[in-house]
Amino acid sequence: MIKKVIFENLGRIRYKEAWDYQEKLFESVVREKSEKKEEKEQYLLFCEHEHVYTLGKHGDKQNLLIANHVCKSKNIDLHTIDRGGDITYHGPGQLVVYPIIDLESFGMGIKSYISTLEDAVIDTLESYGIKGEKDDKAMGVWIDVADPPKARKICAIGVRASRFVTMHGLALNANADLSYFNYINPCGFRDRGVTSIQKELGHEVDFEEVSDRMKEAFVNRFGMELSYRLKHF
């Protein structure tokens, strides 16, 4: 069954502002679910962030390789948040996607949801001739996962779910400045690299085009019917 979902492009936004907005929408979906509304509003948010490191609730602070005051001097925000996973980086040139949906209405559990997120990213990469892959031992989308010295992550995934309503999501490196990953052990890994669509292709890609292809992948993989709304906060 096709599910109606409200799409909002938040544009370039600081992490905390987007996180607060997610919380507001998340609470509204949970409330409508508890009221057993047949047509509850669900959301798909796209954005870019200013430079920020986020540490998951079970993450190891030792995976941040620079002191907090160095982050401040480099204008990098730092937040400990309520998603799964370890530390990751968000910044300009990276497409961040936050689905705030009721998994039960989509007939999904947490594992199938994460797998479908990965599928949507893999579809997006395939449209650029890049072979994205899953790793049974680590969430996200990788390249050359079977060859450890070459394995590199192109998309991080970290989610939170309560009453099967989701928050947080994925971050696909399109044209991101990968040097910011040098200051962390991305997702806790010390022996794997990171990459981007730009790095794999050898040239910058059109960010709006990446967004459109990702949106199409979500529609196809999740069976969403999107309605568009301007951000209103």
Side-chain angles (χ1 to χ4, degrees):
M1 179 182 289
I2 300 295
K3 291 294 177 184
K4 294 182 179 180
V5 175
I6 297 168
F7 176 84
E8 292 186 38
N9 185 347
L10 306 184
R12 182 82 66 85
I13 184 172
R14 294 189 85 89
Y15 186 86
K16 185 62 166 60
E17 187 179 5
W19 186 14
D20 288 345
Y21 188 52
Q22 279 192 81
E23 288 277 8
K24 176 183 174 183
L25 298 182
F26 171 83
E27 289 168 4
S28 74
V29 176
V30 169
R31 182 176 60 253
E32 291 191 359
K33 183 176 182 178
S34 69
E35 294 169 353
K36 302 189 185 306
K37 287 192 175 181
E38 288 189 17
E39 288 293 330
K40 58 181 155 305
E41 291 188 338
Q42 304 186 70
Y43 302 89
L44 181 65
L45 310 179
F46 278 23
C47 66
E48 286 178 274
H49 287 308
E50 303 295 348
H51 301 295
V52 61
Y53 294 128
T54 65
L55 181 67
K57 57 187 175 181
H58 300 303
D60 184 348
K61 292 181 180 178
Q62 298 301 313
N63 286 320
L64 176 64
L65 306 179
I66 54 177
N68 289 5
H69 73 272
V70 179
C71 286
K72 289 181 181 178
S73 71
K74 293 179 178 292
N75 293 317
I76 305 171
D77 292 338
L78 177 63
H79 294 288
T80 300
I81 61 173
D82 57 352
R83 60 158 172 78
D86 206 283
I87 195 166
T88 194
Y89 161 76
H90 300 307
Q94 183 188 72
L95 174 60
V96 179
V97 179
Y98 296 131
I100 305 174
I101 60 176
D102 173 20
L103 294 181
E104 289 183 317
S105 72
F106 282 85
M108 289 182 169
I110 297 297
K111 282 190 175 181
S112 60
Y113 170 62
I114 291 171
S115 181
T116 306
L117 289 178
E118 292 169 336
D119 288 334
V121 175
I122 289 169
D123 290 348
T124 303
L125 294 173
E126 185 179 22
S127 73
Y128 287 97
I130 298 171
K131 184 182 179 184
E133 301 172 293
K134 301 181 185 183
D135 185 339
D136 293 337
K137 298 177 182 178
M139 282 192 299
V141 178
W142 302 78
I143 295 174
D144 289 333
V145 73
D147 188 350
K150 291 183 179 179
R152 54 207 184 275
K153 177 174 275 192
I154 196 166
C155 179
I157 291 176
V159 302
R160 172 196 168 197
S162 177
R163 296 190 63 185
F164 289 95
V165 177
T166 64
M167 271 187 65
H168 304 294
L170 66 86
L172 173 63
N173 297 328
N175 302 313
D177 182 348
L178 301 180
S179 69
Y180 283 84
F181 287 98
N182 295 335
Y183 304 121
I184 61 173
N185 292 319
C187 302
F189 288 100
R190 294 174 171 82
D191 58 349
R192 294 188 179 190
V194 292
T195 190
S196 65
I197 297 175
Q198 179 182 22
K199 184 173 181 180
E200 295 300 314
L201 297 182
H203 60 81
E204 188 171 329
V205 289
D206 183 279
F207 192 82
E208 289 304 316
E209 181 182 74
V210 177
S211 298
D212 288 343
R213 294 184 185 189
M214 179 72 81
K215 197 186 308 175
E216 181 180 0
F218 264 83
V219 166
N220 293 335
R221 285 289 181 174
F222 284 88
M224 293 178 173
E225 178 184 330
L226 300 180
S227 60
Y228 293 81
R229 186 169 79 182
L230 297 176
K231 74 176 182 181
H232 62 297
F233 62 93

